[in-house]
Amino acid sequence: MSALAASAARAVIWPAAGLLVWAAHFAGIYAVHAHACERGLAARSLLGLPWVATLVMALTALALVALATLFALARPVRTTFGDKDTEPDFTRWFGAAACIVAGFAVLFEAVPALVLPACWQAGG
Amino acid sequence: MSEASAPLPHSLPRPPEELGRLEHAWAFPRGFRVVTEINNNLIGPLFIATALMFLLLAGLLGVLIRLQLAFPGLTLVNADTYNQVFTTHGVVMMFLFAVPVVEAVGIALLPAMLGAREMPTPRLGAYAYWIYLIGGSAFFASLFFGAAPDGGWFMYPPLTGKAASPGINTDMYLLGIGFIEISAIAGAIELITGILRCRAPGMTLGRMPIFAWAMLVFAGMVIFAFPAVIVASTLLEMERAFDWPFFIPERGGDPMLWQHLFWFFGHPEVYIIFLPAAGMVSMIVPAMARAPLVGHSLVVLALVGTAFLSFGLWVHHMYATGIPGLSLAFFASAGFAVSVPSGLQVFAWIATFASGKRVRIATPTLFVLGFLFIFTLGGLTGVMVSVTPFDWQAHDTYFIVAHLHYVLIGGMVFPILAALYYWAPCIGTPLSERLGKWVFWLTFLGTNVTFFPMHISGFLGMPRRIYTYPAGMGLEIWNLVSTIGALMVLAGGVVLFVDLARNFRVQAGGDNAWDAGTMEWLPNYNYGPRSLPAVDSRYPLWRKPNLAAEVEAGAHYLPGTLTGLREGLVVSPAEGIPQYVAVLPGPGWAHIVAAIGTAGFFLVLTVEWLVPAAAFAALAVAAFLYWLWTGTDLGPIGEGRGDIGGGLVLPTYVTGPMAVSWWAMVGLMLVLGTCYACFVGSYLFLWLVNGDRMWPPAGLGSPLPGWGGLAFVLYALAAGTMLAASGALRRHGALPPWAMPLALVLLVAGYAADLAALLGSGLQPTQHAHSAITYAILAWHGAIVAVALLMAAYTQARSWAGMIDGTRRLTFDNTMLFWLYTAGQGAVGLVLLHGFPRLL
């Protein structure tokens, strides 16, 4: 990888990687539920478990694994709390911190699938 | 906070002729020709002034709305005019004030703040300004002819479909605002390229000012959010003009498609507006508190995190549409999640104030405190309406009007006013502290008096967008109080404009009025700082008190001009390591003519004058080509390299990924790719709501696979030919004569085969949403192919003119990049349109 490509990757990819995983997870769980409701799959089961909840949890597990991997790759060699403004310390800290933020958001948004019925509608 | 300086890049004193050459290169044209200037120090203030003009105009419409609603049964304006007034108020505030003003502040301040001479593509920025001024003024004028949009700023079909809105009002929105979005995107591409590549040596991403981070996030959001509304507008205009039924349920369409696309843009738009304003606050607070921002890196993380999470909130505006409860819960969760990074910034500002030794209570401080109060209240009601059952009760009532104005005025207008008073001494003369305090108290009290009662009128059941209301429902007092508040805000606005008119004049070389730590407070001229400072901290002026004197004396990098032309230093994106000296364009007419052509094309198309529209389009294209031919890819000048100081010898010409224009091209491709993704998303949405067996419905065919396969091969060959041409150019130093013509023929043939596959199937775009979206995707691709062909023909012409060789190949490399994107997009379209229906 050229120096410019490495610099561009540090500038663009590291800060965004964890949050892109969040975006993919969010799009995935919304698509799964929307598809289930439009195609009447709400009551279907998968491996003996509710179809929607199972797929949402599978996507969530996948996202968390991806975030953990990215965190391990991005984690700064030294323990810093973002106070290092030199490179690559800052972008690596940023990449790792973004994974933590994304991980909380992924969990927070997936939890409703465990407590709410699929395809429930107000008044319905 | 200060420490001893490292060795300086240049010895002092500098040769006396050096400054003269620099001033000559950056001199503005005299007299009327100054309008041809593209320098950020001129375009930035003009941009801000124009945005403030639209704030005033839209604000007056807001006052008119409040006067109409002051008492029950008033008829200052009739219902039709009222519809146009409130729609224009919203549209102008969102599209012609809020987004442009933050881009304007960015263009005005960022080069100085980043320690750069200029933005990397100043002519693009100037084009964005002129298209905005011309188009925005024409759009506003439509109100005086009864032709302004009247369907609310989010223009929901079926109300805005041809059947319910047969006039040109809706077209004025779809076409008239559509090209304003081009201005925003052009500005965003310029900002991204500038922030990532045009910084002072040593300014790592970790040292970059928060406002630059906020503008980087803003620009990234514009690139990914605005395409959704561009595609939505395109689809609705196609439906209105050609009867292609994207939103008509009887023929497979769905009005919800508009809402998904619009709010995929519309909710991030709130943060597109708020985040730069938050960035401004993060610059003002440390200066006023005389202390570094607490949690600098966490604030950066909050900005980026907010931007991402804001793309998971669009259904917030669709809670009452019947979307299943679990889906609403996903979005509600995202809504709660996004309040965390927003709250983090608020706590960082409070902590910074608390950490300051002696906080300076000046007008900017007052506006920041007002922002904290009003925005926090708006945020709290935001959390309320993100609770789904609450939203079902408050939806489309004045409670929402109160909420959105608290968020937008608190979160955006107050920081902008703080920024005006804070940065006025940076780009010109300071504003009056006495008048500023009047402006603050009138707008702060007026905002609360206007909008707080609306929470109550909303709870009492007053719906949005009604032009009057009956007496006896308990609404009278709250509406009258709101109107009195609006007049207070108007008074504040009048004092503001009096202050600006009396006291503000643009001038170079301003003082560090607030003893701030960031580099926009270095003496700044047409050419930016005299020399480009080496940076080793987040607050360089606090760390090195002598920095301003050193920079002014020319002791830092590039104190003169290597080529005799305007130049900027380009650095690596993460570390800020100098890489090359870019030659920048100077004044010219081409971008103004291009702006007139672009604006004229869209506006004339609104009234369906096709021949004048074609003439305007030809004018715009001709101006673009002239602009590119004369002002870009100049090749190596002189020795092709030069010493910028500190032993650094850099080239003055590069190509490929090193060049800033390559980055701008990548930005454009991201925009186009997002547009295409929105088309693909629309296709999948319509499939989902229609059902598998209705895609296509019985009796309608699918695109012919034979022609589709041929198109795929031809696209691949077109891409391969361009890659082969690139290799030949590298090896032989010249573009083979067969290369571009062959690539052109292959791409045209590929698109023709693509089209034949569709036409041969017997599908008609008016039959059903399936055929309409299929044709729409192919039509969009056709427009991209046409641009690629134009670029290839231009590149061939440059080659014939001897302007492309083994070294000077920037034009070719950028064309190749766009070409490969076009071929790839064609292949994706073929897989979708041919493969997807057959997989079902």
Side-chain angles (χ1 to χ4, degrees):
Chain A
M1 184 184 279
S2 70
L4 179 70
S7 179
R10 273 196 289 279
V12 178
I13 296 174
W14 273 126
L19 293 160
L20 283 174
V21 171
W22 166 84
H25 173 263
F26 187 82
I29 61 175
Y30 179 52
V32 162
H33 186 240
H35 187 261
C37 299
E38 287 289 340
R39 294 291 183 269
L41 305 173
R44 186 177 287 190
S45 61
L46 183 67
L47 305 173
L49 298 167
W51 195 84
V52 169
T54 305
L55 277 180
V56 168
M57 288 307 126
L59 287 173
T60 303
L62 199 62
L64 292 175
V65 169
L67 288 170
T69 307
L70 285 170
F71 180 85
L73 291 172
R75 192 173 44 143
V77 178
R78 294 180 298 277
T79 303
T80 65
F81 296 93
D83 54 339
K84 287 279 185 187
D85 59 14
T86 51
E87 287 298 334
D89 298 282
F90 178 79
T91 40
R92 291 186 71 167
W93 169 84
F94 195 104
C99 288
I100 296 171
V101 172
F104 277 114
V106 161
L107 279 174
F108 196 55
E109 286 154 14
V111 164
L114 292 177
V115 295
L116 283 176
C119 305
W120 166 82
Q121 284 190 300
Chain B
M1 282 181 274
S2 64
E3 67 173 32
S5 298
L8 297 173
H10 276 293
S11 58
L12 295 176
R14 303 300 305 151
E17 70 279 8
E18 187 179 72
L19 179 59
R21 273 168 52 84
L22 189 64
E23 288 174 334
H24 177 71
W26 290 85
F28 286 4
R30 293 185 180 278
F32 178 70
R33 289 185 63 246
V34 76
V35 298
T36 64
E37 180 55 61
I38 58 175
N39 188 289
N40 78 295
N41 289 314
L42 179 70
I43 294 295
L46 277 177
F47 220 141
I48 294 172
T50 307
L52 291 177
M53 175 189 78
F54 282 119
L55 171 68
L56 176 67
L57 293 173
L60 289 173
L61 293 182
V63 172
L64 181 58
I65 291 169
R66 283 315 321 163
L67 289 174
Q68 166 67 19
L69 295 174
F71 299 99
L74 285 183
T75 53
L76 289 177
V77 292
N78 61 34
D80 288 341
T81 305
Y82 185 84
N83 289 345
Q84 292 186 36
V85 167
F86 80 71
T87 302
T88 304
H89 166 75
V91 170
V92 171
M93 282 295 192
M94 296 301 276
F95 289 106
L96 297 181
F97 166 64
V99 173
V101 79
V102 290
E103 281 197 346
V105 174
I107 287 172
L109 290 176
L110 276 175
M113 197 179 281
L114 297 171
R117 293 221 179 282
E118 171 61 293
M119 303 299 283
T121 53
R123 200 184 299 280
L124 186 64
Y127 168 74
Y129 168 69
W130 284 105
I131 194 175
Y132 159 64
L133 173 67
I134 298 166
S137 303
F139 174 82
F140 192 86
S142 70
L143 191 60
F144 302 110
F145 301 97
D150 53 3
W153 87 282
F154 39 67
M155 300 294 281
Y156 283 169
L159 175 63
T160 51
K162 197 71 173 176
S165 297
I168 66 165
N169 306 65
T170 299
D171 305 303
M172 184 56 75
Y173 176 98
L174 298 174
L175 294 169
I177 286 299
F179 75 90
I180 300 291
E181 289 147 10
I182 296 175
S183 166
I185 288 172
I189 290 173
E190 184 189 30
L191 286 168
I192 289 177
T193 310
I195 293 167
L196 286 177
R197 301 299 309 280
C198 298
R199 305 197 303 265
M203 183 183 277
T204 62
L205 287 177
R207 292 173 188 149
M208 204 162 74
I210 293 285
F211 180 65
W213 267 106
M215 291 306 294
L216 182 62
V217 169
F218 157 90
M221 292 181 75
V222 166
I223 278 187
F224 289 109
F226 272 60
V229 75
I230 289 174
V231 169
S233 300
T234 304
L235 294 181
L236 184 52
E237 190 56 37
M238 281 177 164
E239 180 178 293
R240 290 174 56 83
F242 309 122
D243 191 31
W244 294 11
F246 305 105
F247 308 107
I248 301 173
E250 293 83 351
R251 284 184 277 161
D254 192 335
M256 289 282 284
L257 173 60
W258 171 273
Q259 294 202 28
H260 280 290
L261 285 171
F262 184 87
W263 289 116
F264 189 78
F265 146 80
H267 197 93
E269 164 83 344
V270 176
Y271 293 92
I272 283 172
I273 293 166
F274 166 65
L275 292 180
M280 293 173 199
V281 172
S282 290
M283 302 294 289
I284 296 169
V285 169
M288 293 302 168
R290 307 171 216 247
L293 181 70
V294 171
H296 180 106
S297 300
L298 288 172
V299 170
V300 175
L301 182 63
L303 289 170
V304 179
T306 304
F308 272 87
L309 292 175
S310 73
F311 281 93
L313 303 177
W314 78 92
V315 168
H316 270 213
H317 303 264
M318 301 163 64
Y319 278 172
T321 57
I323 289 175
L326 180 55
S327 289
L328 298 186
F330 294 149
F331 287 91
S333 302
F336 298 140
V338 82
S339 64
V340 175
S342 300
L344 189 148
Q345 291 182 81
V346 173
F347 286 119
W349 298 322
I350 294 171
T352 306
F353 273 130
S355 71
K357 292 183 178 65
R358 192 165 51 84
V359 176
R360 188 188 283 120
I361 304 294
T363 302
T365 323
L366 291 176
F367 277 112
V368 167
L369 294 173
F371 147 76
L372 283 171
F373 180 82
I374 295 177
F375 177 72
T376 303
L377 285 181
L380 289 175
T381 53
V383 174
M384 290 167 74
V385 295
S386 75
V387 178
T388 312
F390 181 90
D391 185 74
W392 286 334
Q393 304 305 314
H395 189 81
D396 265 350
T397 70
Y398 258 77
F399 187 90
I400 302 298
V401 180
H403 158 68
L404 73 91
H405 282 92
Y406 264 83
V407 169
L408 294 175
I409 295 177
M412 197 269 167
V413 177
F414 272 64
I416 286 289
L417 294 176
L420 275 182
Y421 279 89
Y422 176 72
W423 274 303
C426 183
I427 60 173
T429 51
L431 294 170
S432 160
E433 273 293 299
R434 184 174 61 85
L435 291 177
K437 289 185 170 65
W438 273 101
V439 176
F440 169 74
W441 285 111
L442 284 167
T443 50
F444 177 75
L445 294 174
T447 298
N448 284 289
V449 172
T450 306
F451 296 106
F452 193 81
M454 289 185 190
H455 293 106
I456 301 166
S457 49
F459 278 144
L460 291 172
M462 182 168 169
R464 301 171 69 175
R465 306 191 189 92
I466 51 169
Y467 90 109
T468 189
Y469 54 93
M473 298 180 70
L475 299 172
E476 293 91 331
I477 182 66
W478 306 115
N479 277 282
L480 183 58
V481 172
S482 287
T483 301
I484 292 168
L487 294 173
M488 291 171 68
V489 176
L490 176 64
V494 169
V495 178
L496 170 68
F497 280 92
V498 167
D499 195 2
L500 285 167
R502 280 184 52 186
N503 297 316
F504 183 73
R505 301 290 180 274
V506 174
Q507 69 177 27
D511 296 329
N512 189 351
W514 307 104
D515 192 23
T518 42
M519 289 194 297
E520 73 273 25
W521 295 100
L522 288 170
N524 193 53
Y525 306 93
N526 292 354
Y527 44 82
R530 165 67 203 281
S531 56
L532 305 181
V535 172
D536 59 1
S537 76
R538 288 170 175 164
Y539 297 94
L541 299 188
W542 285 346
R543 186 176 174 90
K544 290 184 176 176
N546 292 331
L547 186 63
E550 293 170 5
V551 165
E552 187 72 348
H556 284 255
Y557 292 100
L558 200 63
T561 166
L562 301 177
T563 61
L565 300 170
R566 298 182 179 189
E567 296 163 344
L569 185 60
V570 180
V571 300
S572 63
E575 304 83 0
I577 297 171
Q579 293 188 318
Y580 79 102
V581 175
V583 175
L584 302 174
W589 287 100
H591 62 284
I592 299 176
V593 176
I596 293 169
T598 311
F601 169 72
F602 280 102
L603 291 167
V604 170
L605 209 55
T606 306
V607 287
E608 298 182 11
W609 293 350
L610 298 182
V611 173
F616 273 119
L619 181 70
V621 169
F624 280 129
L625 292 176
Y626 179 80
W627 157 0
L628 291 169
W629 190 278
T630 56
T632 62
D633 194 4
L634 302 177
I637 295 171
E639 295 177 12
R641 56 203 306 111
D643 185 348
I644 67 162
L648 279 175
V649 177
L650 298 180
T652 56
Y653 180 85
V654 298
T655 187
M658 184 79 90
V660 287
S661 69
W662 189 92
W663 282 61
M665 181 60 77
V666 170
L668 177 64
M669 285 161 48
L670 286 173
V671 172
L672 295 177
T674 310
C675 285
Y676 203 67
C678 290
F679 274 107
V680 172
S682 301
Y683 181 95
L684 295 175
F685 176 86
L686 290 169
W687 154 72
L688 190 64
V689 298
N690 272 279
D692 295 341
R693 280 189 290 278
M694 287 294 288
W695 205 255
L700 296 187
S702 290
L704 303 178
W707 283 109
L710 178 62
F712 194 92
V713 171
L714 289 168
Y715 285 145
L717 288 173
T721 303
M722 196 61 90
L723 289 170
S726 175
L729 183 57
R730 186 175 58 251
R731 285 191 300 277
H732 308 300
L735 199 58
W738 50 266
M740 299 307 283
L742 179 60
L744 272 164
V745 168
L746 288 168
L747 191 65
V748 170
Y751 186 69
D754 210 345
L755 197 59
L758 201 51
L759 294 173
S761 69
L763 283 173
Q764 298 294 325
T766 54
Q767 291 168 313
H768 187 269
H770 166 266
S771 47
I773 191 68
T774 302
Y775 270 97
I777 288 173
L778 201 59
W780 180 267
H781 182 56
I784 305 301
V785 166
V787 174
L789 296 178
L790 191 64
M791 289 174 67
Y794 171 82
T795 306
Q796 182 60 58
R798 299 267 298 189
S799 178
W800 283 332
M803 298 164 85
I804 291 179
D805 56 40
T807 304
R808 189 182 180 184
R809 51 176 292 170
L810 186 57
T811 298
F812 175 83
D813 284 336
N814 288 343
T815 297
M816 181 176 71
L817 199 59
F818 193 82
W819 195 265
L820 296 177
Y821 168 81
T822 305
Q825 178 178 282
V828 169
L830 285 166
V831 170
L832 178 78
L833 301 183
H834 290 256
F836 189 76
R838 292 184 169 87
L839 282 175
L840 297 175

